[in-house]
Amino acid sequence: MTSRNLVKLFWNTLLVGGITTAIVGLFVRWHELQPFFADFKIIDIISAIVWLIVMGFLFSVISQMGFFAYLTIHRFGLGIFKSVSLWNAVQVVLILFGLFDLVYLRYSNFAKSGDPLLPFLVPALLLAVVSLVVAWLKSKETNRDAFIPALFFMIVATLVEWVPVLRINSSSWLYTMVIALLACNAYQILVLHKLNAKSAQERQQKKIQNANKAPEHQKKKVKKSTV
């Protein structure tokens, strides 16, 4: 990927994180922000929205670090297992293990006696459904082999990035952060092949332009030498 497209990916992902967190945060934390809107406190409303956007930028940076870490891990996995099918099988096991831990560890650590399991299943189901849709779109736009890697990134990488909020078990931040992470991760995984193709096209165009300029440059040198 060219540096130009890499910078574009960074800024666009940053915007996705900021906008998503601001929108989701207004809904999830409405019980806290509603008095500001009821009393029409403009300064407080703007401050709350700006704060949510800044938090979204932070979530976006975490997402981008996880994305580039995954790209490295994916290459290492292919190199270690020497087989795409074997590496995919390992990723499937890690996906199932991650989803199980998300439910089991949260329930064992935060559930009180008699609490139902359903509230602890909802985040895992949300993560799985969104990830399946994104992985399907990725495989549709590229090839079938991209399904498992995309699913692994969307589930396992999101879980790792989500850990700080999972530890405190705040329901409002739990959903605010995961939706922002899913939006950023989905954007990155779905736009990656497009930016790579665009980068390859730009490199090819640059080669053609340089090839066309070369004869003119040589002609100028010849003219100067004859004079």
Side-chain angles (χ1 to χ4, degrees), residues 144-199:
R144 293 170 58 185
D145 293 335
F147 182 84
I148 296 300
L151 187 65
F152 177 84
F153 168 69
M154 289 298 299
I155 292 179
V156 177
T158 302
L159 282 173
V160 174
E161 297 160 0
W162 201 12
V163 166
V165 170
L166 289 174
R167 288 179 174 176
I168 63 175
N169 196 40
S170 170
S171 59
S172 59
W173 280 115
L174 188 78
Y175 288 102
T176 301
M177 186 176 188
V178 74
I179 293 174
L181 290 175
L182 286 172
C184 291
N185 287 343
Y187 172 76
Q188 290 177 101
I189 199 70
L190 291 175
V191 81
L192 178 64
H193 61 279
K194 297 177 182 177
L195 291 179
N196 283 336
K198 186 177 180 181
S199 297

Side-chain angles (χ1 to χ4, degrees), residues 31-52:
H31 61 286
E32 300 175 13
L33 302 176
Q34 191 269 340
F36 299 156
F37 288 88
D39 298 333
F40 205 65
K41 297 179 178 179
I42 299 297
I43 301 299
D44 291 331
I45 293 172
I46 294 175
S47 299
I49 293 174
V50 169
W51 181 67
L52 287 170

Side-chain angles (χ1 to χ4, degrees), residues 12-26 52-53 56-57 180:
N12 287 350
T13 308
L14 205 67
L15 287 175
V16 170
I19 294 171
T20 303
T21 303
I23 295 172
V24 175
L26 287 175
L52 287 170
I53 291 173
F57 289 163

